Amino acid sequence: MSTLSWEEFSRVELRVGRITHAEVFEKARRPAYVLQVDFGAEFGVRKSSAQITELYDPATLIGRLVVAVTNFPPKQIGPIMSECLVTGFHNEDGAVALCVPDQDVPLGTRLM
């Protein structure tokens, strides 16, 4: 594993957001959802594509807090423009479990 400096790490903006909308990404090559994530007044609502269909249904995602990278440039993923990267971990079966805070924190709060 390579190491990175604190300066390099500090450039990555990992922020807390709340999923406000989730729907099946019909045109995705691999099963995915299109999410809208609210990062609060300062950062607004951003769209993301997330391959989390094995463990989550769209209805159960609404209102959940997530951790996302918010300073990647927008990326075209099929017909949608992804504006953040929602983070997660592969479980033993390869399904993605969301990375989430275990307490409520203000939207837009940056990971320290």
Side-chain angles (χ1 to χ4, degrees):
M1 171 173 49
S2 64
T3 60
L4 60 141
S5 70
W6 179 256
E7 182 180 330
E8 290 170 315
F9 175 72
S10 68
R11 292 179 50 214
V12 179
E13 292 199 16
L14 289 155
R15 296 191 180 273
V16 172
R18 187 177 307 280
I19 297 173
T20 59
H21 182 81
E23 64 185 55
V24 174
F25 189 175
E26 298 287 349
K27 295 186 179 184
R29 282 187 249 159
R30 286 184 248 156
Y33 297 135
V34 176
L35 307 177
Q36 289 186 16
V37 184
D38 183 2
F39 293 97
E42 185 176 352
F43 302 102
V45 176
R46 298 189 183 191
K47 194 180 292 187
S48 184
S49 170
Q51 295 174 0
I52 55 173
T53 59
E54 291 181 45
L55 298 179
Y56 306 96
D57 293 317
T60 64
L61 291 168
I62 306 304
R64 292 184 71 117
L65 292 177
V66 293
V67 176
V69 178
T70 58
N71 65 331
F72 280 144
K75 180 176 182 178
Q76 191 74 45
I77 300 177
I80 75 149
M81 184 65 72
S82 182
E83 302 166 309
C84 65
L85 174 68
V86 174
T87 61
F89 301 95
H90 289 277
N91 68 13
E92 292 175 348
D93 299 323
V96 177
L98 291 169
C99 177
V100 299
D102 68 354
Q103 300 286 317
D104 274 344
V105 293
L107 299 181
T109 298
R110 189 172 179 181
L111 180 84
M112 301 175 62

